[in-house]
Amino acid sequence: MPDEYLSVDLIKQNTVTRVIGRNVIYLPVTTSTNEVARQAARERATEGTVVIAGQQTAGRGRLGRNWSSPPGSLALSVILRPQTSRLSSLIMIASLAVVHAIEKVTGLKSQIKWPNDILINNKKVCGILIENAWKGSGLDYSVIGIGLNVNFNPADYEEVANIATSLSMELGRPVSVLKVIRTVLMELDIYYSVNDVFTEWKKRLTTLGKDVKIVSGKTMVTGIAESVGLDGSLDVRCPDGVLLRITVGDVTFKS
Ligand code: BTN
Protein backbone atom coordinates (compact mmCIF):
# COMPACT_ATOMS: atom_id res chain seq x y z
CA MET A 1 0.00 0.00 0.00
CA PRO A 2 1.56 3.34 -0.98
CA ASP A 3 2.20 5.80 1.83
CA GLU A 4 1.45 9.04 -0.10
CA TYR A 5 -2.00 9.02 1.47
CA LEU A 6 -0.58 9.40 4.99
CA SER A 7 -1.43 12.53 6.93
CA VAL A 8 -1.34 13.70 10.53
CA ASP A 9 -5.14 13.40 10.77
CA LEU A 10 -5.12 9.83 9.50
CA ILE A 11 -2.29 8.84 11.80
CA LYS A 12 -4.09 10.30 14.82
CA GLN A 13 -7.44 8.71 13.88
CA ASN A 14 -8.03 5.54 15.94
CA THR A 15 -4.66 5.94 17.65
CA VAL A 16 -5.64 5.81 21.28
CA THR A 17 -2.73 6.89 23.45
CA ARG A 18 -2.03 8.80 26.63
CA VAL A 19 1.40 10.31 25.94
CA ILE A 20 2.88 9.05 22.68
CA GLY A 21 1.54 10.91 19.64
CA ARG A 22 0.00 13.87 21.49
CA ASN A 23 1.63 15.86 18.75
CA VAL A 24 2.42 14.30 15.35
CA ILE A 25 4.68 15.73 12.65
CA TYR A 26 4.46 13.90 9.32
CA LEU A 27 7.00 14.56 6.59
CA PRO A 28 6.87 12.44 3.40
CA VAL A 29 10.64 12.97 2.99
CA THR A 30 13.13 14.44 5.45
CA THR A 31 16.80 14.26 6.37
CA SER A 32 16.52 12.32 9.62
CA THR A 33 13.46 12.08 11.86
CA ASN A 34 15.81 11.92 14.86
CA GLU A 35 17.35 15.22 13.77
CA VAL A 36 13.93 16.85 13.27
CA ALA A 37 12.78 15.51 16.65
CA ARG A 38 15.90 16.82 18.40
CA GLN A 39 15.35 20.25 16.89
CA ALA A 40 11.71 20.18 18.03
CA ALA A 41 12.79 19.05 21.52
CA ARG A 42 15.27 21.93 21.75
CA GLU A 43 12.31 24.19 20.95
CA ARG A 44 10.45 22.64 23.90
CA ALA A 45 8.17 20.25 21.98
CA THR A 46 5.93 18.36 24.37
CA GLU A 47 6.77 14.86 25.59
CA GLY A 48 5.26 12.30 23.23
CA THR A 49 5.78 14.38 20.10
CA VAL A 50 6.29 12.01 17.18
CA VAL A 51 8.08 12.72 13.89
CA ILE A 52 7.28 10.32 11.06
CA ALA A 53 8.76 10.11 7.57
CA GLY A 54 8.32 7.75 4.65
CA GLN A 55 11.84 8.42 3.42
CA GLN A 56 15.03 9.86 4.91
CA THR A 57 17.91 11.34 2.97
CA ALA A 58 20.38 11.35 5.90
CA GLY A 59 19.07 8.66 8.25
CA ARG A 60 21.37 7.89 11.15
CA GLY A 61 22.23 4.48 12.56
CA ARG A 62 24.10 3.51 15.72
CA LEU A 63 27.81 4.09 16.16
CA GLY A 64 27.90 6.89 13.57
CA ARG A 65 26.64 4.74 10.72
CA ASN A 66 24.17 5.73 8.00
CA TRP A 67 20.70 4.25 7.95
CA SER A 68 19.13 3.87 4.57
CA SER A 69 15.39 4.57 4.39
CA PRO A 70 14.19 3.80 0.88
CA PRO A 71 10.54 4.22 -0.16
CA GLY A 72 8.48 1.60 1.66
CA SER A 73 10.40 1.96 4.88
CA LEU A 74 9.18 3.74 7.97
CA ALA A 75 11.18 6.22 10.02
CA LEU A 76 9.64 7.26 13.29
CA SER A 77 11.10 9.26 16.20
CA VAL A 78 9.54 10.03 19.56
CA ILE A 79 10.52 12.74 22.03
CA LEU A 80 10.46 11.61 25.65
CA ARG A 81 11.42 13.32 28.89
CA PRO A 82 11.70 10.36 31.29
CA GLN A 83 13.33 10.32 34.70
CA THR A 84 17.03 9.62 34.33
CA SER A 85 16.57 6.37 36.24
CA ARG A 86 14.35 5.08 33.41
CA LEU A 87 16.80 5.82 30.61
CA SER A 88 18.16 2.28 30.28
CA SER A 89 14.63 0.93 29.92
CA LEU A 90 13.91 2.98 26.78
CA ILE A 91 15.55 0.43 24.48
CA MET A 92 13.48 -2.31 26.15
CA ILE A 93 10.27 -0.29 25.75
CA ALA A 94 10.98 0.45 22.08
CA SER A 95 12.00 -3.12 21.25
CA LEU A 96 8.95 -4.66 22.91
CA ALA A 97 6.64 -2.13 21.26
CA VAL A 98 8.00 -3.01 17.81
CA VAL A 99 7.85 -6.77 18.39
CA HIS A 100 4.23 -6.53 19.55
CA ALA A 101 3.22 -4.14 16.77
CA ILE A 102 4.70 -6.45 14.13
CA GLU A 103 2.81 -9.41 15.55
CA LYS A 104 -0.48 -7.50 15.87
CA VAL A 105 -0.40 -6.14 12.32
CA THR A 106 1.09 -9.09 10.44
CA GLY A 107 1.00 -12.12 12.73
CA LEU A 108 4.77 -12.47 12.21
CA LYS A 109 6.99 -13.43 15.14
CA SER A 110 10.11 -11.34 15.58
CA GLN A 111 13.00 -11.49 18.03
CA ILE A 112 15.08 -8.90 19.83
CA LYS A 113 18.80 -9.05 19.18
CA TRP A 114 20.88 -7.22 21.78
CA PRO A 115 21.23 -4.31 21.89
CA ASN A 116 18.90 -2.68 19.38
CA ASP A 117 17.86 -4.88 16.47
CA ILE A 118 14.62 -6.64 15.69
CA LEU A 119 15.00 -9.76 13.55
CA ILE A 120 12.69 -11.95 11.57
CA ASN A 121 14.14 -15.28 10.44
CA ASN A 122 17.58 -14.04 11.51
CA LYS A 123 17.45 -10.95 9.29
CA LYS A 124 17.16 -7.38 10.49
CA VAL A 125 13.73 -5.84 10.01
CA CYS A 126 14.14 -2.90 12.38
CA GLY A 127 16.88 -0.84 14.02
CA ILE A 128 16.48 1.46 17.00
CA LEU A 129 18.61 4.51 17.80
CA ILE A 130 18.22 6.31 21.12
CA GLU A 131 19.80 9.73 21.50
CA ASN A 132 19.87 11.61 24.81
CA ALA A 133 20.50 15.30 25.45
CA TRP A 134 21.69 16.57 28.80
CA LYS A 135 21.23 19.92 30.47
CA GLY A 136 23.63 20.43 33.36
CA SER A 137 23.60 17.18 35.30
CA GLY A 138 20.04 16.25 34.29
CA LEU A 139 18.41 14.76 31.24
CA ASP A 140 16.83 17.34 28.94
CA TYR A 141 15.20 14.88 26.51
CA SER A 142 15.55 11.52 24.79
CA VAL A 143 14.67 10.68 21.23
CA ILE A 144 13.78 7.09 20.35
CA GLY A 145 14.29 6.56 16.61
CA ILE A 146 12.78 3.50 14.98
CA GLY A 147 13.60 2.44 11.44
CA LEU A 148 11.27 -0.33 10.27
CA ASN A 149 11.43 -2.06 6.90
CA VAL A 150 7.78 -2.34 5.92
CA ASN A 151 7.32 -2.59 2.17
CA PHE A 152 10.52 -2.89 0.23
CA ASN A 153 12.69 -5.63 -1.15
CA PRO A 154 16.13 -5.51 0.50
CA ALA A 155 17.53 -7.43 -2.48
CA ASP A 156 17.19 -4.17 -4.44
CA TYR A 157 19.68 -2.48 -2.09
CA GLU A 158 23.15 -3.96 -2.25
CA GLU A 159 24.32 -2.66 1.14
CA VAL A 160 21.57 -4.50 3.04
CA ALA A 161 20.63 -7.27 0.62
CA ASN A 162 22.08 -10.12 2.69
CA ILE A 163 21.33 -8.93 6.18
CA ALA A 164 17.92 -7.25 6.04
CA THR A 165 14.34 -8.25 5.50
CA SER A 166 11.02 -6.42 5.45
CA LEU A 167 7.49 -7.13 6.63
CA SER A 168 6.23 -7.44 3.06
CA MET A 169 9.00 -9.88 2.11
CA GLU A 170 8.25 -12.08 5.10
CA LEU A 171 4.50 -11.93 4.59
CA GLY A 172 4.47 -12.15 0.79
CA ARG A 173 2.16 -9.16 0.44
CA PRO A 174 2.24 -5.39 1.11
CA VAL A 175 1.52 -4.20 4.62
CA SER A 176 -0.43 -1.08 5.61
CA VAL A 177 2.11 1.51 6.77
CA LEU A 178 -0.70 3.40 8.47
CA LYS A 179 -1.65 0.35 10.56
CA VAL A 180 1.99 -0.20 11.48
CA ILE A 181 2.41 3.43 12.60
CA ARG A 182 -0.78 3.46 14.68
CA THR A 183 0.08 0.15 16.32
CA VAL A 184 3.69 1.08 17.07
CA LEU A 185 2.50 4.32 18.71
CA MET A 186 -0.10 2.51 20.81
CA GLU A 187 2.36 -0.19 21.89
CA LEU A 188 4.97 2.44 22.77
CA ASP A 189 2.36 4.19 24.87
CA ILE A 190 1.51 0.98 26.71
CA TYR A 191 5.11 -0.01 27.40
CA TYR A 192 6.11 3.53 28.40
CA SER A 193 3.49 3.34 31.14
CA VAL A 194 4.64 -0.06 32.44
CA ASN A 195 7.11 -0.28 35.30
CA ASP A 196 8.73 -3.65 34.71
CA VAL A 197 9.71 -4.08 31.08
CA PHE A 198 12.95 -5.88 31.89
CA THR A 199 11.45 -9.33 32.50
CA GLU A 200 9.65 -9.50 29.16
CA TRP A 201 12.55 -7.90 27.28
CA LYS A 202 14.95 -10.51 28.66
CA LYS A 203 12.56 -13.30 27.71
CA ARG A 204 12.33 -12.03 24.13
CA LEU A 205 16.10 -11.69 23.59
CA THR A 206 17.37 -14.10 20.99
CA THR A 207 20.97 -13.38 22.02
CA LEU A 208 21.07 -15.23 25.34
CA GLY A 209 22.72 -18.64 25.38
CA LYS A 210 24.39 -18.04 22.02
CA ASP A 211 28.04 -18.19 21.10
CA VAL A 212 28.73 -14.57 20.15
CA LYS A 213 31.39 -12.22 18.86
CA ILE A 214 31.06 -8.64 20.02
CA VAL A 215 32.93 -5.77 18.46
CA SER A 216 33.01 -2.54 20.41
CA GLY A 217 35.30 0.10 18.91
CA LYS A 218 38.69 -1.55 18.62
CA THR A 219 37.86 -4.28 21.12
CA MET A 220 36.59 -7.72 20.22
CA VAL A 221 35.12 -10.19 22.70
CA THR A 222 33.97 -13.74 22.11
CA GLY A 223 32.06 -16.03 24.42
CA ILE A 224 28.63 -17.17 25.47
CA ALA A 225 26.02 -14.44 25.99
CA GLU A 226 24.98 -15.49 29.47
CA SER A 227 22.65 -12.85 30.83
CA VAL A 228 21.58 -9.21 30.81
CA GLY A 229 21.60 -6.63 33.58
CA LEU A 230 18.75 -4.35 34.61
CA ASP A 231 20.68 -1.52 32.95
CA GLY A 232 20.49 -3.35 29.61
CA SER A 233 24.12 -4.49 29.60
CA LEU A 234 25.11 -7.93 28.31
CA ASP A 235 27.16 -10.44 30.34
CA VAL A 236 29.45 -12.58 28.22
CA ARG A 237 31.28 -15.62 29.57
CA CYS A 238 34.68 -15.69 27.85
CA PRO A 239 36.50 -18.95 27.01
CA ASP A 240 38.83 -18.37 30.03
CA GLY A 241 35.79 -18.30 32.36
CA VAL A 242 35.84 -14.55 32.96
CA LEU A 243 32.43 -12.82 32.87
CA LEU A 244 32.55 -9.53 30.99
CA ARG A 245 29.83 -6.88 31.18
CA ILE A 246 29.33 -5.25 27.77
CA THR A 247 27.41 -2.01 27.43
CA VAL A 248 27.92 -1.18 23.78
CA GLY A 249 28.82 -3.14 20.66
CA ASP A 250 27.79 -5.09 17.63
CA VAL A 251 26.92 -8.72 18.09
CA THR A 252 27.34 -11.47 15.54
CA PHE A 253 26.29 -15.02 16.21
CA LYS A 254 28.99 -17.62 15.68
CA SER A 255 27.52 -20.66 14.01
C1 BTN B 1 20.67 1.00 13.81
O1 BTN B 1 20.30 -0.15 13.63
O2 BTN B 1 21.86 1.33 13.64
C2 BTN B 1 19.66 2.04 14.26
C3 BTN B 1 18.92 2.60 13.09
C4 BTN B 1 17.89 3.62 13.51
C5 BTN B 1 17.23 4.28 12.31
C6 BTN B 1 16.11 5.18 12.72
S1 BTN B 1 15.07 5.63 11.36
C7 BTN B 1 14.26 6.77 12.37
C8 BTN B 1 15.32 7.47 13.17
N1 BTN B 1 15.91 8.55 12.40
C9 BTN B 1 17.22 8.35 12.14
O3 BTN B 1 17.95 9.11 11.51
N2 BTN B 1 17.59 7.17 12.65
C10 BTN B 1 16.50 6.51 13.35
Side-chain angles (χ1 to χ4, degrees):
M1 190 181 289
D3 16 341
E4 299 90 64
Y5 67 97
L6 285 176
S7 67
V8 170
D9 284 348
L10 266 178
I11 291 167
K12 283 186 151 184
Q13 224 175 67
N14 300 330
T15 305
V16 185
T17 58
R18 206 176 48 87
V19 176
I20 312 293
R22 275 177 184 152
N23 181 27
V24 175
I25 299 168
Y26 171 66
L27 304 162
V29 182
T30 192
T31 50
S32 152
T33 54
N34 264 34
E35 198 44 54
V36 175
R38 288 176 66 154
Q39 182 58 38
R42 284 193 286 269
E43 291 161 8
R44 307 311 305 157
T46 179
E47 181 176 58
T49 295
V50 176
V51 181
I52 296 169
Q55 243 179 295
Q56 296 181 117
T57 53
R60 290 205 292 262
R62 279 172 66 245
L63 309 171
R65 297 192 192 108
N66 296 328
W67 176 262
S68 83
S69 296
S73 59
L74 169 65
L76 185 154
S77 300
V78 185
I79 300 171
L80 293 175
R81 301 183 191 278
Q83 300 210 318
T84 314
S85 58
R86 291 193 72 200
L87 265 189
S88 56
S89 68
L90 295 187
I91 187 63
M92 306 172 194
I93 290 168
S95 305
L96 288 170
V98 170
V99 163
H100 279 268
I102 289 175
E103 186 159 357
K104 280 194 175 160
V105 177
T106 65
L108 293 165
K109 296 264 186 230
S110 56
Q111 294 80 37
I112 302 170
K113 179 182 169 213
W114 188 93
N116 75 321
D117 291 350
I118 309 298
L119 310 182
I120 300 181
N121 290 325
N122 291 320
K123 291 197 167 175
K124 182 159 169 170
V125 71
C126 173
I128 299 166
L129 172 69
I130 297 181
E131 296 181 297
N132 302 315
W134 300 86
K135 205 179 216 171
S137 59
L139 179 76
D140 187 11
Y141 62 84
S142 288
V143 169
I144 297 183
I146 297 173
L148 184 51
N149 303 337
V150 184
N151 284 322
F152 72 90
N153 184 353
D156 296 339
Y157 301 88
E158 208 186 325
E159 68 281 15
V160 294
N162 293 323
I163 52 167
T165 188
S166 69
L167 298 182
S168 61
M169 291 308 293
E170 295 297 326
L171 206 58
R173 62 170 165 79
V175 173
S176 162
V177 178
L178 179 59
K179 264 192 205 156
V180 172
I181 294 171
R182 286 176 176 161
T183 315
V184 168
L185 296 184
M186 289 192 280
E187 292 296 319
L188 278 172
D189 199 64
I190 292 169
Y191 279 98
Y192 191 49
S193 72
V194 167
N195 275 329
D196 175 24
V197 285
F198 176 76
T199 311
E200 190 186 349
W201 176 72
K202 184 175 175 185
K203 218 183 287 168
R204 289 270 185 165
L205 277 175
T206 182
T207 316
L208 296 186
K210 296 232 168 94
D211 201 354
V212 294
K213 178 173 103 180
I214 301 173
V215 177
S216 178
K218 289 188 177 141
T219 316
M220 203 253 289
V221 168
T222 56
I224 304 293
E226 205 169 90
S227 191
V228 275
L230 284 170
D231 62 354
S233 57
L234 181 70
D235 290 337
V236 177
R237 183 73 62 184
C238 300
D240 60 5
V242 170
L243 191 65
L244 282 184
R245 178 149 282 196
I246 316 280
T247 53
V248 64
D250 277 322
V251 176
T252 43
F253 299 136
K254 291 166 70 193
S255 44

